[in-house]
Amino acid sequence: YDLESEYEFETIIIENGSVDSTWEKLEAIAGNDARFKVVKLSRNFRMDGGLTAGLSFCKGDAAVLMTADLQDPPELISKFLRKWEEGFENVFGVITKREGTGPVRRFNSGAFYWLADRLTDGRIPKNASDFRLLDRRAYEAVRAMDERNRFVRGLAAWVGFRSIGIDMERPPRFGGVSNAHTFKVLDLAFKGIFAHSYVPLRLITITGAAIFGTSVIMLFSLIIRWIFFGVPFAGFGTIVALLLAAFGLLALMIGIVSEYVGLIYEEVKKRPNFVVSETIGL
């Protein structure tokens, strides 16, 4: 697929708070080819902040989102374009195999997509990647949503439009070391799920009702036993275990509520999702 002869294109590179010589190299690339534009952010705004920054500068008929570590294979762009030409407005990569990742990372990814699929009524497809092509209407709808807790692949799924996934294998990183450690991945997963689902809040209500109903049944059964069989034998250990379980469950419920409160806190501050320090060619 000869992209250069079929389409006019530009490449917008987001320099997301690098601490090495990335900026100097990007200056040289942009100086040699005017199709390469560069946006330098004032610090690292994480993956979704960088994607949001890139989308804010897009103006083409379609935009391709991808990372710079070559884990998103550029040769897949031609397949994206073919699907776009067929009328699809959201064409995304579906990861079928992850190379260079350990079992913990694979488990984290699998658990996240399993939960996201069930808590969002299937809106976030399993193993969907941020690597995707968005039609102008789709990416304008995504960037119009002024949310502070950005989860771009969730927003792209939420806006709808005609979508299709293309299978891809994710190769090892070309260079550098991934900063996607377990706690950062879990933080992103929690934000992604809580920002697109109210099911955890509903589960609190359901769990509370279930515990209350169970306690009423148990109390009634204990009264019946007391009437017909007398006072049962002492169950100190059982009582302590039940109390610990109850307090643990309450702490979990409070934790879920606090996550939502934290998201609200971030929204009401209305801080920008990124801050631009310098641009080249824009």
Side-chain angles (χ1 to χ4, degrees), residues 36-240:
F36 286 83
K37 326 289 185 181
V38 186
V39 178
K40 183 179 182 180
L41 302 186
S42 60
R43 63 170 176 83
N44 184 278
F45 286 88
R46 305 186 70 170
M47 176 74 172
D48 290 280
L51 291 174
T52 301
L55 286 174
S56 69
F57 287 94
C58 289
K59 58 180 184 294
D61 294 325
V64 176
L65 311 181
M66 65 184 301
T67 59
D69 55 14
L70 296 184
Q71 286 192 293
D72 296 334
E75 59 271 18
L76 205 62
I77 295 176
S78 61
K79 294 183 179 180
F80 287 178
L81 286 169
R82 291 190 185 100
K83 291 299 181 182
W84 179 55
E85 291 167 351
E86 293 174 10
F88 291 97
E89 296 159 296
N90 179 11
V91 187
F92 54 89
V94 178
I95 302 172
T96 59
K97 183 179 180 182
R98 301 175 186 270
E99 297 182 11
T101 57
V104 175
R105 176 65 189 281
R106 289 195 295 271
F107 173 80
N108 290 341
S109 297
F112 163 71
Y113 282 111
W114 183 85
L115 279 174
D117 179 68
R118 281 154 179 77
L119 297 183
T120 62
D121 295 326
R123 276 202 309 270
I124 300 178
K126 183 179 179 181
N127 293 326
S129 170
D130 284 314
F131 182 34
R132 65 184 63 227
L133 179 148
L134 295 174
D135 182 80
R136 183 200 295 272
R137 292 195 304 165
Y139 77 68
E140 286 183 345
V142 170
R143 73 182 179 189
M145 290 185 284
D146 195 26
E147 297 183 17
R148 297 311 185 270
N149 295 283
R150 307 289 288 184
F151 185 59
V152 173
R153 77 189 73 166
L155 297 178
W158 186 89
V159 298
F161 295 102
R162 193 179 178 198
S163 306
I164 190 172
I166 295 180
D167 291 346
M168 57 173 277
E169 293 185 5
R170 172 157 283 179
R173 291 175 62 93
F174 177 76
V177 179
S178 174
N179 290 319
H181 303 302
T182 297
F183 289 111
K184 288 185 178 181
V185 171
L186 289 176
D187 179 62
L188 176 63
F190 283 137
K191 286 186 176 181
I193 291 173
F194 291 149
H196 292 273
S197 175
Y198 297 109
V199 172
L201 288 176
R202 295 193 183 106
L203 286 176
I204 292 177
T205 304
I206 295 171
T207 304
I211 292 175
F212 176 75
T214 302
S215 65
V216 170
I217 294 172
M218 292 180 65
L219 180 62
F220 183 76
S221 65
L222 287 173
I223 292 174
I224 296 297
R225 182 169 181 173
W226 173 71
I227 293 173
F228 291 100
F229 303 102
V231 180
F233 62 87
F236 179 77
T238 303
I239 293 174
V240 171

